[in-house]
Amino acid sequence: MREDSGTAQDRRLELRGDCGSCFGLCCVALPFARSADFALDKDAGKPCPNLETDFRCGIHTRLRQKGFTGCTVYDCFGAGQKVSQVTFGGEDWRSGSRERARQMFDVFPVVRQLHELLWYLNEALTLPAARSVHADVRRALDTTDRLTRQTPEELAKLDVAAHRQDVNVLLLRTSELVRAGAAGRGKKGRPKDRRGADLMGARLKGADLRGANLRGAYLIAADLTGADLRDADLIGADLRDTDLTDADLTGAFFLTQPQLNAARGSAGTRLPESVSRPGHWAGRH
């Protein structure tokens, strides 16, 4: 069982997007190109044509049918409401100057990256096998949280890449500790290392990937039907159109909701408690 589950759940709620408390920042600040994920081109800083005057999406319940699948797999990890209500104190991008709006759009991706790190650090604290690094993780979590509460000017100057690198050292150590106790082993008695592997379209039906290192692996359109992914590290793994039908992801860690939303699954897919079963999955309960 994972540690501190109640507190972790409370923190996870704070790290989920609350569109009602945001000024549609992801619909304006971020660019997208016409593709299988988006029905049209949009430049950064330009409002999506589906964004209404109350900052809500006019086609929210029909995004997939309208060709905006990319929107359904995006999550700001709560950065939208943080920037809207805390960083800019409830001032929306429409009411201020053009320069103020540009500043808000520049800060939003920075805070989004920091909030994603908060998600991973929060999860690391729930993993008993990583108890030996929990003190360091807590310090990193507190530091990251303080960074999210800086002024717009300070956030614009922040070297996010350097901070991510510092945090990643702890996340790597966490991964090693957790996977060391996993049942899945390679021929040399070590957890399977598929870090950054090109597994696009791979046929991995029923594969034993317990305790595997799948950090940054390309699993686009891979067949993982019935695969055993218990205690696997999935941080940064590309799960677009990955078939997770009846797969077992119990104990899989550093898995985010956007990753899962991009995949395909079923009612038989077993998931860790940190994520929810996507509504578009077949046979959803």
Side-chain angles (χ1 to χ4, degrees):
M1 179 177 292
R2 297 192 175 196
E3 294 183 341
D4 197 21
S5 58
T7 303
Q9 183 61 32
D10 291 340
R11 288 193 294 250
R12 287 191 190 109
L13 291 176
E14 296 175 359
L15 295 172
R16 294 186 187 278
D18 177 6
C19 296
S21 299
C22 177
F23 298 127
L25 292 182
C26 64
C27 306
V28 187
L30 306 179
F32 51 73
R34 185 188 297 270
S35 62
D37 293 322
F38 297 102
L40 48 81
D41 296 318
K42 188 190 82 64
D43 295 330
K46 179 181 179 181
C48 173
N50 298 309
L51 185 66
E52 301 187 330
T53 56
D54 61 355
F55 302 109
R56 295 182 180 275
C57 175
I59 60 168
H60 181 70
T61 60
R62 295 170 290 132
L63 283 167
R64 286 181 173 270
Q65 296 93 314
K66 292 292 185 177
F68 288 86
T69 301
C71 297
T72 70
V73 302
Y74 178 81
D75 193 322
C76 71
F77 295 97
Q81 61 259 33
K82 173 70 73 61
V83 173
S84 297
Q85 304 301 330
V86 178
T87 313
F88 287 87
E91 174 188 356
D92 69 74
W93 51 271
R94 282 179 175 149
S95 62
S97 66
R98 187 171 300 179
E99 178 58 34
R100 190 67 167 170
R102 187 180 301 110
Q103 189 179 40
M104 186 177 291
F105 301 153
D106 289 342
V107 164
F108 171 63
V110 174
V111 178
R112 197 268 184 189
Q113 290 186 67
L114 293 173
H115 269 232
E116 183 177 3
L117 292 178
L118 287 175
W119 177 274
Y120 296 137
L121 289 167
N122 174 65
E123 182 164 11
L125 288 176
T126 72
L127 303 171
R131 190 179 292 108
S132 62
V133 296
H134 279 180
D136 291 333
V137 171
R138 288 190 182 91
R139 283 190 287 271
L141 192 151
D142 290 341
T143 297
T144 305
D145 183 65
R146 284 197 298 273
L147 291 176
T148 69
R149 300 177 189 281
Q150 292 186 117
T151 66
E153 292 76 17
E154 290 171 327
L155 284 165
K157 296 177 181 178
L158 179 65
D159 188 343
V160 184
H163 184 65
R164 287 186 74 101
Q165 193 168 31
D166 291 341
V167 170
N168 193 48
V169 173
L170 283 174
L171 299 181
L172 280 168
R173 182 57 183 150
T174 297
S175 177
E176 291 167 355
L177 290 168
V178 175
R179 292 184 298 104
R185 292 289 183 267
K187 293 182 179 180
K188 296 183 179 179
R190 297 176 181 176
K192 302 174 182 65
D193 190 353
R194 305 290 174 84
R195 183 177 182 179
D198 182 352
L199 299 171
M200 291 190 288
R203 298 178 180 178
L204 297 168
K205 184 175 182 178
D208 181 0
L209 293 169
R210 286 172 291 173
N213 182 357
L214 291 166
R215 296 171 66 91
Y218 296 94
L219 289 159
I220 302 170
D223 182 5
L224 286 168
T225 303
D228 192 341
L229 291 153
R230 286 176 289 173
D231 298 313
D233 181 351
L234 290 166
I235 193 168
D238 194 332
L239 302 181
R240 283 177 292 170
D241 206 31
T242 304
D243 193 347
L244 296 173
T245 300
D246 296 333
D248 189 350
L249 286 84
T250 306
F253 56 101
F254 297 152
L255 173 68
T256 66
Q257 195 63 48
Q259 286 174 294
L260 207 59
N261 290 348
R264 292 179 288 128
S266 67
T269 305
R270 300 180 64 184
L271 301 173
E273 62 179 17
S274 58
V275 292
S276 303
R277 194 177 306 278
H280 66 276
W281 279 15
R284 178 174 181 261
H285 287 309

